[in-house]
Amino acid sequence: MEIEERQPVPVGPRSGEPVGERSQEDSGARSPEPSGARRSPFTRRGPIAAVAGCVVLGGVLVLLSTLDDSAASRPAPGPAARAVSAVGAGVPAALPDLTALIRDRESRVRARPRDDVSWAVLGAAYTEQARRTAAVASFPKAEKALRRSLDLRPEDNVAALEGLASLAGARGDFRAARKWGEAAAEQAPKRWTTYPALIDAYSGLGDHKAVDRTLDRLLALRSGPTVQAVAARVYRDRGRREDAAAAVSDAAAGAATASQQAALLAQAGDLAWERGDRQESLDHYRAATRTDADAYDALAGQGRALAALGRTQEALRAYRTALAERPVPRYALELGELYDSLGRGAEARAQYGLLRDLARRDGAAGVDDEPVLGLFEADHGDAQASVRQLRAEWRRQPGIAVADALGWALHRAGNDEEALGFAVRATDKEHGGGVRSALYAYHRGQIERDLGLSGPARRHLTEALRINPYFSPLLAPAAREALTALGEPPAGGPPEESAEPDESGEPEPGTEEQAAPPAAPSEAPSEASSTAPSATPGQPAAR
């Protein structure tokens, strides 16, 4: 498996450039919005790629305006200085360099406990370390350091406010991220480093109009790889997959460090995976781990792609290595379901037990794992408990991922009528649900099937498999089985139940008189009971 080899790439600023100065990043001009599909220059030279989650250096972006220039002028910078230079350019630092920066700032605050700038730097570095490695014990340390900075300098301390916004976003607390991010933007509206975390917060809260406004503001202030990666995430969430791929390709071409390039390659891998391109996604993920051996999300992505290619043993090794290096609940769920699909129930149950342990660990550190935990409980544990947890999550953070998870949990608990409202919201462009997600389409199709809505069910199950025929080792086969059971639509018979508009916005021919699906929920509904039995723990749920 090509998961350990690492290739050097050009990093850092060119000789004589100030820290953070690159022709793209500092032009100040708005990058033209991608207009369509193009092949990455990396793809033309050979496979590269990459992935997942936030590409911005989490909380460390907040240090951009607090760094001194002396580190950039040293002829042979050490690890801490390299991390400072990377952060100054607004890009991820290598993990060993980040560790050195943490040691350096810990030493500084011991010597100068009233140094608010060093406390902000330290808090942001702790946040990034926790996000990259899942060492969640660093999150409380980050909060303590950032609040100490704010206590020492309660006015005009934008770095601490940005740090707290990024910390909250990394924990999945989008309300707090919005609070701190808006406070930072109010104090320094032209400081571009505030906006990536604020965009993620608005997205997590389902406020898609605010996402669009904030992205426009960011693009007006800044261009370059970091901003292009943020824009790509928004394009992806709007269903603009070609624009997202083009933005990531452009960003990867201008990456300043190996760590940034690896993150962008992994993001490209995720986009390829979501559209069902197994080999291209694998090529991207492998290029990411060759570029940066600490790109653990890309390593888990390799497991996903290898499993879809039928290379099961390689997939298991990739997943196990990623989980050992970055233990997060999502990896444990994916590995457990892969074991389940292979009939290896005992090993699947071990991963599900680990998932629960990791979720408890994360909760103690203030991390919100509810969407992943809720989906797990709905399919492999206590569906009723999942509904209760996700209802509370919906009241706090009514984002698209939570709408999908709550709809599925309600379905698994036997409440299909209410479930459909949430499934519609998760897939409805009017509510921000434009993302082309095979999982969301599958969930909606199965809910519609159980409600007897054969036409919509057939359409959404077909859509799930068209988007990505390999989206889950358990659910993709279930989608095929459901379509077989539904059979072909009746020839010349009465129209099937649907008034849902097609992509052109017009109802399908002959469906105008049929009832539409339930309206999408506009706010958190009251909790309802259900009598459906929950699935047996550790066993694939009947779908």
Side-chain angles (χ1 to χ4, degrees):
M1 248 190 343
E2 300 177 30
I3 57 178
E4 287 85 15
E5 180 185 357
R6 184 170 182 167
Q7 296 178 343
V9 298
V11 299
R14 295 186 293 274
S15 175
E17 277 189 344
V19 174
E21 182 173 289
R22 293 181 61 83
S23 59
Q24 274 191 300
E25 286 282 3
D26 290 332
S27 66
R30 175 171 177 161
S31 298
E33 190 171 296
S35 59
R38 350 176 220 178
R39 286 189 67 77
S40 160
F42 288 98
T43 302
R44 290 195 292 269
R45 292 196 296 265
I48 58 176
V51 80
C54 231
V55 180
V56 179
L57 181 64
V60 184
L61 268 177
V62 307
L63 312 179
L64 184 60
S65 66
T66 67
L67 304 172
D68 59 35
D69 292 331
S70 61
S73 63
R74 296 169 188 163
R82 288 197 301 270
V84 165
S85 296
V87 169
V91 301
L95 283 180
D97 294 352
L98 188 61
T99 300
L101 176 60
I102 288 172
R103 286 197 299 265
D104 178 74
R105 290 310 190 266
E106 286 175 338
S107 177
R108 285 198 188 192
V109 296
R110 280 194 296 268
R112 294 183 288 179
R114 298 193 64 78
D115 182 351
D116 63 276
V117 172
S118 289
W119 279 112
V121 170
L122 180 59
Y126 280 143
T127 296
E128 182 65 3
Q129 182 186 59
R131 188 184 68 80
R132 296 269 299 278
T133 66
V136 296
S138 291
F139 281 137
K141 293 196 291 186
E143 182 173 5
K144 182 178 179 180
L146 291 163
R147 288 188 180 277
R148 176 62 174 157
S149 175
L150 203 57
D151 288 344
L152 291 168
R153 187 182 172 192
E155 302 295 330
D156 299 321
N157 192 346
V158 182
L161 294 174
E162 281 185 5
L164 287 164
S166 294
L167 168 63
R171 282 170 151 172
D173 184 351
F174 298 116
R175 285 191 180 278
R178 180 181 62 186
K179 167 190 167 184
W180 296 115
E182 288 179 346
E186 183 178 358
Q187 287 194 16
K190 293 186 177 181
R191 181 177 163 120
W192 73 274
T193 51
T194 297
Y195 296 106
L198 196 49
I199 287 169
D200 289 338
Y202 288 139
S203 180
L205 292 170
D207 190 348
H208 301 288
K209 291 181 180 179
V211 169
D212 292 341
R213 288 195 306 269
T214 309
L215 178 61
D216 286 343
R217 179 62 174 162
L218 175 60
L219 290 169
L221 290 171
R222 192 77 168 183
S223 63
T226 298
V227 173
Q228 288 167 323
V230 175
R233 293 200 301 276
V234 176
Y235 299 151
R236 177 259 180 195
D237 289 347
R238 297 294 183 273
R240 296 165 55 186
R241 297 190 297 184
E242 293 180 350
D243 287 348
V248 170
S249 171
D250 290 345
T257 69
S259 296
Q260 183 183 38
Q261 189 178 53
L264 290 163
L265 291 171
Q267 190 174 2
D270 285 347
L271 291 171
W273 170 255
E274 288 178 352
R275 64 177 180 265
D277 194 326
R278 298 170 293 175
Q279 189 60 53
E280 184 179 341
S281 68
L282 179 61
D283 291 342
H284 285 316
Y285 291 136
R286 281 183 161 168
T289 54
R290 286 196 299 267
T291 301
D292 182 356
D294 296 325
Y296 303 126
D297 248 359
L299 188 55
Q302 287 184 38
R304 213 173 293 129
L306 287 163
L309 287 164
R311 296 160 63 175
T312 305
Q313 293 308 311
E314 292 175 87
L316 292 172
R317 285 196 296 271
Y319 267 128
R320 287 193 291 253
T321 303
L323 189 55
E325 297 293 339
R326 186 173 183 258
V328 295
R330 180 167 58 87
Y331 298 173
L333 178 58
E334 290 184 15
L335 179 55
E337 292 195 333
L338 179 56
Y339 278 130
D340 243 341
S341 73
L342 299 171
R344 296 164 64 169
E347 289 159 298
R349 288 189 291 275
Q351 294 305 315
Y352 298 152
L354 175 61
L355 183 155
R356 286 191 173 105
D357 291 342
L358 292 174
R360 281 192 290 269
R361 175 208 67 176
D362 288 359
V367 177
D368 184 350
D369 289 326
E370 287 303 329
V372 173
L373 187 60
L375 285 175
F376 160 71
E377 290 291 352
D379 277 337
H380 307 285
D382 186 341
Q384 296 290 353
S386 176
V387 169
R388 290 192 295 272
Q389 293 161 2
L390 288 169
R391 282 195 194 281
E393 184 74 2
W394 175 255
R395 285 191 287 269
R396 289 193 302 270
Q397 306 190 138
I400 294 302
V402 179
D404 170 72
L406 178 53
W408 187 244
L410 285 162
H411 163 71
R412 296 289 297 133
N415 188 348
D416 286 314
E417 290 187 1
E418 186 181 3
L420 184 56
F422 286 98
V424 167
R425 185 176 184 110
T427 53
D428 178 13
K429 291 181 181 180
E430 292 299 316
H431 293 88
V435 61
R436 297 274 292 161
S437 168
L439 181 65
Y440 294 1
Y442 167 80
H443 285 164
R444 180 170 177 176
Q446 288 286 40
I447 293 167
E448 289 166 334
R449 179 190 174 206
D450 280 9
L451 285 169
L453 301 171
S454 300
R458 187 180 292 106
R459 182 168 61 255
H460 288 115
L461 292 169
T462 300
E463 180 186 1
L465 294 172
R466 183 183 300 120
I467 293 170
N468 183 355
Y470 321 102
F471 70 94
S472 163
L474 287 179
L475 304 185
R480 295 184 183 92
E481 292 173 6
L483 279 171
T484 299
L486 283 167
E488 295 297 323
E496 295 187 284
E497 307 86 336
S498 176
E500 185 187 15
D502 62 17
E503 302 246 342
S504 68
E506 298 297 327
E508 291 192 354
T511 63
E512 293 84 349
E513 301 302 321
Q514 302 298 324
S522 58
E523 58 186 59
S526 60
E527 188 162 338
S529 61
S530 174
T531 58
S534 46
T536 303
Q539 296 299 320
R543 293 171 170 82

